[in-house]
Amino acid sequence: MTASPPRPQQIPARVTSIIAGSALPADLPGHDIPVVNPTTEEVISTLREADAAEVDAAVRAARKAFDEGPWPRMDINTRKDILYSVRDHLRRHAEELAWLECTNAGLPLASVLWHVQRMARNFEFFAEVASTARGETYNQTAGFLTIVTREPKGVAAVISPWNAPLALSSMRVATCIPFGNTCVLKPSEFTPLSVRRMVEVMHEAGLPPGVVNLVNGRGSVTGDALVSHPGIDMVGFTGGTATGRAIAATAGRNLKPVALELGGKSANIIFGSADIERALDGALAGIYGNNGQQCLAGSRILVQRSIADRFIERFVERSRRIRLGDPLDPSSEIGPLCFRGHMERVLSYVDIARADGATLLTGGRRAQTPERGWFVEPTAVLAPHNDARVCREEIFGPFATLLTFDTVDEAIRIANDSTFGLVSYVWSDDLPTVMRCARDIRAGTVWVNTPLMRDLRAPFGGFKDSGIGRDGPQTSMDFFTEIKSTIIPVDAVQMHRYGA
Ligand code: NAD
């Protein structure tokens, strides 16, 4: 796909659930939620919310596909062929999916083009992982052979957020179904369009009915009915930390395991020993990429005092020059925030910053141009210390918080002084500095002299309030499979004969 604007696509008038491979009729009664284009502020579709009865039907369909259907019992090569077909179909529909994503989520085309490729790659990668699953055998105990095998775990509830609907929904589904599991997916009620089309395309590619079921609606209604349903065996959730806590509590009551990918307030540490030009590019990409709406944003930019004045001046200069605009226009660098309430929340941090003694360096307002849409000016504040709320809370928009430090020890201390621990960025050409940071920073990923490189082979997830578990070949296999030990005597077993 080139970076020319994708062609306009068909939008369904009413978005309904997909259960056992079929979309529910568009004229069913039910609670409707408007689906809005954040660039134009226009209502572009309606979402019919799935209530508890509909969630039950979706879980039953997933249950039936797991308990009785071909998917968990299928030869791995056949399952792999279907997942490769899913990859190919998704690639063929990349333009359509990208258009829906930009239109509904407001994400800039450049981000979305990367997301749609990643979406297809996720299915290919984890199909391969599932086909390499191995067991264990033990014969050290005389007269016995013990074999350890892996089995699919069952039906997953999969819940995803609005900030990268295709990339994040596909990641959760792709780590789950290749192992023979089935699932019920609930994307965010703000961004249902691209994910619904993704599920349709997966069925067009030959996915058996019931393996992936889709329900839509608010977290408090549809999401809660799904997580608390007794028919599910595990929960995979990507979203905010407060929601993750609530979901883990519900799942805990039902003794269901959870994998949680949650929020962050990640430190992006710029040392005087860095290649400053690249560090500047990296700091801007780290906070303004994906409209600043990314869990792994480098939202706390720590700058060594020796270079701070010049670095901050240039950061501000570049922030002012960022192009806001229609996310479908390839030249736009930042699109609108996903919905009005979110824009207002992001802007509310300007007053919060001031109240804590921070200095507004640039931005801080709803953008004047474009005239419509929920655009926020790229915003940067200089915080007086790491206790300011703008250093502690996830703002999730184009809002950078800058701080200064003197020594490596101080930088690491500030980086770790957070309830979160998702990722961290270090910019330095001094090896001992880099190695100290890599060893001592408490975060699931440390990026050195690079922003946002994600290798599917490496586990991804957070320390502390940033989550539980990791997406990755071994870690996802461990979460989405059960292991079973089967013990077989090689010779006739001598047993005590009770009552003989
Ligand atoms: P959110 O937590 O508000 O919602 C996420 C999903 O959970 C939505 O589908 C929502 O409907 C659902 N939900 C809400 N309440 C629920 C409940 N009680 N029961 C079941 N489902 C419920 O998050 P958001 O605002 O959509 O997304 C932004 C957050 O996601 C940020 O905090 C961001 O950091 C995080 N995130 C994390 C990662 C990661 O990989 N660590 C990736 C992307 C986003």
Side-chain angles (χ1 to χ4, degrees):
M1 233 176 123
T2 61
S4 51
R7 280 165 300 171
Q9 307 287 330
Q10 192 85 28
I11 297 177
R14 197 149 179 259
V15 177
T16 54
S17 300
I18 297 177
I19 297 178
S22 302
L24 298 193
D27 57 357
L28 285 178
H31 177 74
D32 279 343
I33 300 172
V35 179
V36 179
N37 176 342
T39 308
T40 61
E41 302 179 37
E42 284 163 4
V43 175
I44 50 175
S45 181
T46 307
L47 181 117
R48 181 178 166 279
E49 182 165 74
D51 60 11
E54 198 163 305
V55 170
D56 180 56
V59 174
R60 280 173 194 277
R63 198 68 268 161
K64 187 160 190 275
F66 184 77
D67 294 336
E68 300 164 30
W71 188 249
R73 293 156 196 88
M74 197 175 266
D75 182 89
I76 188 63
N77 285 323
T78 314
R79 200 190 292 151
K80 224 164 107 175
D81 285 346
I82 294 174
L83 292 165
Y84 283 179
S85 167
V86 164
R87 171 201 63 193
D88 295 342
H89 275 68
L90 290 172
R91 282 187 182 147
R92 231 168 276 147
H93 289 271
E95 183 176 13
E96 178 187 4
L97 291 160
W99 186 87
L100 289 168
E101 187 92 323
C102 291
T103 303
N104 191 185
L107 300 178
L109 186 61
S111 295
V112 169
L113 292 179
W114 190 85
H115 292 170
V116 292
Q117 293 311 324
R118 178 45 72 95
M119 164 191 62
R121 181 75 69 201
N122 287 339
F123 288 100
E124 173 194 87
F125 181 81
F126 283 98
E128 199 57 50
V129 170
S131 78
T132 60
R134 291 184 305 276
E136 301 157 36
T137 56
Y138 299 100
N139 62 358
Q140 291 92 331
T141 300
F144 286 93
L145 178 67
T146 297
I147 57 175
V148 182
T149 47
R150 282 186 186 271
E151 298 179 0
K153 193 177 256 170
V155 174
V158 175
I159 299 183
S160 58
W162 47 260
N163 62 305
L166 288 174
L168 298 173
S169 300
S170 68
M171 183 51 136
R172 281 271 173 236
V173 174
T175 51
C176 167
I177 63 171
F179 298 106
N181 301 298
T182 63
C183 69
V184 179
L185 166 65
K186 194 208 85 66
S188 168
E189 60 275 29
F190 294 105
T191 52
L193 297 182
S194 56
V195 176
R196 183 176 196 267
R197 189 66 193 120
M198 178 187 89
V199 174
E200 279 177 351
V201 170
M202 291 177 75
H203 286 98
E204 289 161 18
L207 190 73
V211 175
V212 176
N213 304 275
L214 175 79
V215 291
N216 283 295
R218 288 165 293 177
S220 55
V221 178
T222 314
D224 189 52
L226 179 56
V227 174
S228 51
H229 197 292
I232 59 153
D233 297 302
M234 62 257 175
V235 182
F237 171 75
T238 305
T241 294
T243 314
R245 251 184 244 286
I247 285 176
T250 306
R253 274 194 294 280
N254 293 345
L255 277 186
K256 306 299 180 198
V258 290
L260 305 173
E261 298 278 354
L262 308 176
K265 189 76 197 182
S266 299
N268 195 344
I269 310 175
I270 323 285
F271 289 97
S273 51
D275 175 332
I276 300 300
E277 210 49 44
R278 288 163 52 76
L280 181 62
D281 289 344
L284 289 154
I287 184 60
Y288 295 130
N290 214 51
N291 298 345
Q293 300 167 152
Q294 44 189 356
C295 54
L296 38 69
S299 51
R300 270 188 307 155
I301 303 173
L302 317 186
V303 191
Q304 197 154 26
R305 207 177 307 277
S306 54
I307 56 158
D309 287 349
R310 183 73 187 121
F311 185 91
I312 292 172
E313 189 184 318
R314 295 192 59 207
F315 184 92
V316 167
E317 235 170 63
R318 291 270 299 273
S319 298
R320 290 193 177 128
R321 292 215 300 265
I322 289 174
R323 292 180 297 277
L324 269 63
D326 183 344
L328 286 161
D329 177 345
S331 69
S332 300
E333 293 178 296
I334 292 190
L337 299 196
C338 188
F339 52 98
R340 178 185 287 278
H342 183 55
M343 175 191 70
E344 287 164 356
R345 182 179 172 277
V346 169
L347 288 172
S348 75
Y349 275 92
V350 175
D351 285 341
I352 291 171
R354 284 204 184 98
D356 280 348
T359 311
L360 179 66
L361 301 169
T362 188
R365 293 176 309 173
R366 184 174 181 175
Q368 305 301 299
T369 47
E371 280 168 14
R372 303 193 73 184
W374 298 315
F375 291 87
V376 168
E377 291 174 345
T379 299
V381 300
L382 181 63
H385 45 68
N386 192 48
D387 288 333
R389 280 179 63 190
V390 286
C391 293
R392 311 208 75 83
E393 298 173 17
E394 187 181 44
I395 300 174
F396 219 58
F399 193 119
T401 301
L402 293 119
L403 274 168
T404 54
F405 68 90
D406 287 303
T407 62
V408 180
D409 283 344
E410 190 187 359
I412 293 171
R413 188 181 51 70
I414 297 172
N416 288 341
D417 180 14
S418 173
T419 54
F420 296 110
L422 189 57
V423 304
S424 169
Y425 305 76
V426 177
W427 296 85
S428 170
D429 285 345
D430 178 57
L431 190 61
T433 300
V434 166
M435 296 309 288
R436 275 279 324 273
C437 291
R439 186 191 62 193
D440 292 341
I441 289 176
R442 305 272 303 153
T445 298
V446 179
W447 275 301
V448 178
N449 295 335
T450 181
L452 317 175
M453 204 300 286
R454 177 132 179 231
D455 190 326
L456 283 174
R457 292 160 202 81
F460 182 84
F463 285 28
K464 302 191 260 181
D465 288 0
S466 289
I468 297 176
R470 299 284 185 277
D471 285 331
Q474 188 61 46
T475 45
S476 296
M477 193 186 304
D478 288 342
F479 183 72
F480 283 115
T481 57
E482 293 282 14
I483 43 179
K484 177 185 281 175
S485 298
T486 304
I487 297 117
I488 307 165
V490 176
D491 305 309
V493 183
Q494 297 301 313
M495 285 178 283
H496 173 75
R497 300 179 64 217
Y498 283 91

